[in-house]
Amino acid sequence: MLPSQTQRGLMLVATLLGVVGWGWAAGRLQPSDGWGVGAVVVFALAGLPAVLAAAAVAAGGNPLSAVVSLTLAGAFAAHGQSFGSAVRRADDTGAVLGMYSGWGVRLLAWFVFLIAAVAVLEWARPRLRPKLGKRLTSRHLADGSTLWGVDGTACVAALITAAVGAVLTMVLVQSADTGQVRGGLVLGFALAALVGFAVAPTKRPGLVLLSPGAVVLGGYVWATRRFFWNVTEDETPYADAFFAAFYRGELPGVAVVLPVHAVTAGVLGCAIGVGVGQVLEKAKLGQK
């Protein structure tokens, strides 16, 4: 039911290509608040070899394996991005008031990139599969599944994942420390996706993968309304209230996640959770 050793080797190759390509790009881009929209284009080009390798992984079996490879590589490449540094850069440039709205745009850009990458995987699967050897195309778990598609079950699974993921992010992410943010996202959304899949088993988990973006975007909207809504000419009290909450550690977990962490660690957690759910569902049905 699980990927073969050969397919796991391909997953490792795709991950390493992503780490090298995206790590190279990250080292040459100027620091920004979670990487800007222009950086998405650069990373799309730098990650093309990783996406192509992941397409071979998806063609051989479960497409979630390819998503795990890409998001894991992205998480490694984004290790230097931190919420505290992003806030301080915004403060230095006088852009604190528009900080969350800017991050919202970046968040959407990153998830457009994710959707485009998965669209490449889905397009390549039926075309690459006949060209792969038998060792790569032996029966794997969820071999007949597809990532994209909308139906009632997929929507229910995504909504439950988002709701549970939001609660777990608030519980697990107790500071803006990068390690805790990424770890909390992976664990929180892995458990959330597992719950969502258990309640509504779906063969189209693409919507579930988008749930971290919806949760974090909601956190940005909350923070904007809480601290920067209807700012008057004297913006100092609003900025002071935000920085007081930030330094006292009172910002909720959903408000301290950078866009790049949502699209890497958050989506990685969802892919793991759905994968575990597929294993349990298969075992429950007594299938081999």
Side-chain angles (χ1 to χ4, degrees), residues 216-240:
V216 174
L217 187 61
Y220 291 172
V221 172
W222 175 89
T224 299
R225 291 182 62 86
R226 170 66 177 80
F227 297 107
F228 307 122
W229 200 256
N230 295 327
V231 176
T232 61
E233 292 182 0
D234 183 10
E235 62 189 41
T236 302
Y238 297 89
D240 287 348

Side-chain angles (χ1 to χ4, degrees), residues 103-126:
W103 289 354
V105 174
R106 293 176 172 91
L107 180 70
L108 294 176
W110 277 114
F111 273 87
V112 168
F113 173 44
L114 172 69
I115 292 171
V118 172
V120 171
L121 300 181
E122 291 290 85
W123 175 85
R125 284 186 76 198

Side-chain angles (χ1 to χ4, degrees), residues 256-278:
V256 298
V257 178
L258 290 180
V260 71
H261 294 149
V263 80
T264 55
V267 177
L268 173 61
C270 286
I272 292 173
V274 173
V276 173
Q278 290 175 343

Side-chain angles (χ1 to χ4, degrees), residues 106-193:
R106 293 176 172 91
L107 180 70
L108 294 176
W110 277 114
F111 273 87
V112 168
F113 173 44
L114 172 69
I115 292 171
V118 172
V120 171
L121 300 181
E122 291 290 85
W123 175 85
R125 284 186 76 198
R127 293 164 176 80
L128 287 179
R129 189 174 179 84
K131 301 178 182 180
L132 299 178
K134 184 177 180 181
R135 185 175 179 82
L136 288 176
T137 57
S138 58
R139 184 173 180 81
H140 293 299
L141 182 63
D143 188 41
S145 67
T146 180
L147 288 178
W148 292 133
V150 178
D151 57 25
T153 304
C155 291
V156 171
L159 289 173
I160 293 175
T161 300
V164 177
V167 173
L168 291 178
T169 300
M170 301 277 282
V171 172
L172 295 174
V173 180
Q174 293 293 316
S175 76
D177 176 74
T178 304
Q180 187 176 78
V181 170
R182 294 193 300 168
L185 287 173
V186 173
L187 178 59
F189 278 98
L191 294 174

Side-chain angles (χ1 to χ4, degrees), residues 67 81 106 201 203 209 219 273:
V67 176
Q81 297 289 317
R106 293 176 172 91
K203 290 187 175 181
L209 300 180

